[in-house]
Amino acid sequence: MSALEVLEPIFKFIPEVKSPVHREDFNEKLKWTALVLVLYFILTLIPLYGVAPGAIDNFAQVRAVMAGSFGSILTLGIGPIVTASIVLQLLVGSNLLDLDLSSHKDKSQFQATQKLLSIVFTIFEASVLVFTGNISPMDSSYTLILIFQLVIGALVIIYLDEVVSKWGFGSGIGLFIAAGVCQTIIVGTFSVLQGTDGLLAGIIPKFIQQATTGVYDFVILIPLFATIVVFLVVLYGEAMRVEIPISHGSVRGHGRIRGSVGKYPLKFVYSSNMPVILTSALLVNVTLFANLFQKIGFPIFGHIDAGKPVDGIAWLLSTPKWYMFVTEPIHVIIYAIFFIGFCMLFSYLWVEISGLNAKKISEQLYNSGIQIPGFRSSKLSLQI
């Protein structure tokens, strides 16, 4: 009996969103996706009850990637889901869990295990954030209340993600991240509310406000131009394709089709943004564990001061500021090597586990009667 089969009695008690029994059309998928998106934004507006005033978001730099809203019940965002995905990918990739995700049974076990781990990490991360002071209660009587609110918010996100995956377009993880990033960009660019410096918060309104007084501070426009450049580069990379010529040979049930030639596009950004999300979540968890171990008197990952790493592994893997290229080059180099290396690792694991590797794709193409012109019809030629 495998390890996951032992957990099957527990899986039965975990609620799940039923898949549609009918074929959904575009409008129905759009309706569910829009509904979940509206609910997500409403939940980001619900503040945590009992949190101490003046709390500082120590993970602000990765908050958009985690699709969370600090100070609301969605503070954890998709963190527990992504952390569970990291653990499962490493277990499956190292063959500690022998799963064939092309099998319906194994795929169901994988999804159920991911949901169970997500719930476990929800409770764990909520407890760590509160007990280590990242989210401080007004007094000790609010500690469990804060943890409960964080857990409820994260559980809602888990099931909203499942609703989108089964009833809407794409995945909830991608939807929530896109929504959070778009909100950050729009608010940061056009907000007319007053900022902490006494000027308007939005970049463009602030620049216009200063220009009316004869001050032309073009430095504040750098983040806007940098965002545009990054957006264009990502858009270009997403549009890049390597088109492989294919032809239809003998198609089962349809006789022979000769001369039917097409192209099979391979995306340049093959594994999408999931490896970056997984790596960012891993770095957040390093800081969380550093905070936890320091709290119990074993700062093996480094010391944390005011919620931020100041030394050790946690400091080396904390997101550096742009000026640290000059002041702390070793920190920047180690962070870059770690980040890029784990993005490559998670990219490989994601492709292998999700069935997007060359072997699986070649089998699908071969079974569909597709071959490459000039080559013998075989799985090997398609795989190479």
Side-chain angles (χ1 to χ4, degrees):
M1 180 178 291
S2 67
L4 296 188
E5 289 177 344
V6 175
L7 296 175
E8 282 190 354
I10 300 176
F11 295 158
K12 297 177 182 178
F13 294 97
I14 300 177
E16 67 173 329
V17 176
K18 294 294 184 182
S19 301
V21 295
H22 60 283
R23 184 178 181 83
E24 293 181 288
D25 57 19
F26 177 85
N27 290 333
E28 188 174 3
K29 287 188 174 184
L30 181 63
K31 178 189 70 176
W32 281 107
T33 304
L35 178 61
V36 169
L37 187 59
V38 170
L39 288 174
Y40 170 79
F41 280 120
I42 291 175
L43 290 169
T44 60
L45 299 176
I46 301 176
L48 289 170
Y49 173 73
V51 66
I56 300 175
D57 187 4
N58 297 312
F59 303 104
Q61 291 177 301
V62 293
R63 184 62 60 189
V65 179
M66 292 296 99
S69 177
F70 183 74
S72 75
I73 64 171
L74 296 191
T75 296
L76 294 180
I78 61 172
I81 303 175
V82 177
T83 304
S85 181
I86 292 173
V87 173
L88 277 182
Q89 286 200 36
L90 293 176
L91 290 176
V92 175
S94 60
N95 292 323
L96 293 176
L97 284 180
D98 186 15
L99 291 176
D100 178 12
L101 296 185
S102 61
S103 164
H104 177 73
K105 179 182 178 182
D106 284 4
K107 187 175 181 180
S108 298
Q109 287 184 339
F110 181 87
Q111 292 173 343
T113 305
Q114 184 176 25
K115 187 184 296 184
L116 177 61
L117 281 178
S118 298
I119 295 172
V120 171
F121 281 116
T122 292
I123 299 172
F124 171 75
E125 292 184 11
S127 302
V128 170
L129 283 177
V130 175
F131 285 121
T132 57
N134 282 277
I135 298 179
S136 301
M138 287 190 293
D139 57 60
S140 58
S141 63
Y142 290 96
T143 300
L144 294 180
I145 296 176
L146 276 179
I147 294 175
F148 177 75
Q149 292 174 86
L150 291 171
V151 170
I152 291 298
L155 290 178
V156 171
I157 283 291
I158 291 172
Y159 284 99
L160 287 181
D161 170 58
E162 193 173 358
V163 170
V164 175
S165 300
K166 293 183 177 180
W167 292 84
F169 293 109
S171 70
I173 291 177
L175 178 67
F176 301 144
I177 291 175
V181 170
C182 289
Q183 183 184 36
T184 302
I185 292 175
I186 292 173
V187 172
T189 304
F190 301 106
S191 176
V192 294
L193 299 176
Q194 190 174 28
T196 56
D197 56 359
L199 300 173
L200 299 179
I203 291 176
I204 293 179
K206 180 187 292 186
F207 180 79
I208 295 174
Q209 182 184 17
Q210 289 182 326
T212 58
T213 62
V215 178
Y216 295 91
D217 186 6
F218 291 97
V219 175
I220 65 174
L221 296 177
I222 292 178
L224 177 60
F225 290 125
T227 301
I228 294 173
V229 170
V230 171
F231 178 79
L232 293 176
V233 170
V234 171
L235 191 64
Y236 180 78
E238 189 67 25
M240 289 178 63
R241 299 285 191 276
V242 177
E243 295 185 334
I244 301 175
I246 57 174
S247 64
H248 293 273
S250 176
V251 182
R252 294 186 180 90
H254 297 279
R256 284 195 174 275
I257 304 176
R258 295 297 183 188
S260 178
V261 180
K263 294 180 178 180
Y264 185 84
L266 288 177
K267 295 174 62 177
F268 176 71
V269 189
Y270 194 65
S271 56
S272 189
N273 62 345
M274 187 54 67
V276 177
I277 297 171
L278 294 172
T279 305
S280 299
L282 180 61
L283 294 178
V284 170
N285 281 285
V286 169
T287 303
L288 284 177
F289 274 101
N291 220 330
L292 177 63
F293 281 110
Q294 178 176 289
K295 197 75 174 179
I296 61 178
F298 298 98
I300 57 176
F301 290 110
H303 294 86
I304 307 295
D305 183 24
K308 295 184 180 298
V310 293
D311 58 24
I313 297 174
W315 175 75
L316 287 173
L317 300 183
S318 61
T319 307
K321 304 286 187 182
W322 64 271
Y323 56 80
M324 289 183 179
F325 283 100
V326 178
T327 59
E328 299 173 5
I330 301 299
H331 179 189
V332 175
I333 292 172
I334 293 177
Y335 176 85
I337 292 174
F338 181 90
F339 198 95
I340 295 172
F342 267 84
C343 280
M344 294 171 63
L345 173 62
F346 286 130
S347 180
Y348 170 78
L349 292 175
W350 180 260
V351 169
E352 290 293 319
I353 293 173
S354 58
L356 297 175
N357 57 9
K359 182 178 179 180
K360 294 292 183 181
I361 296 297
S362 62
E363 289 178 355
Q364 294 174 14
L365 294 176
Y366 179 79
N367 293 334
S368 299
I370 292 175
Q371 65 186 68
I372 299 176
F375 291 85
R376 294 180 60 184
S377 178
S378 68
K379 294 180 183 178
L380 184 61
S381 63
L382 287 170
Q383 182 174 340
I384 295 176

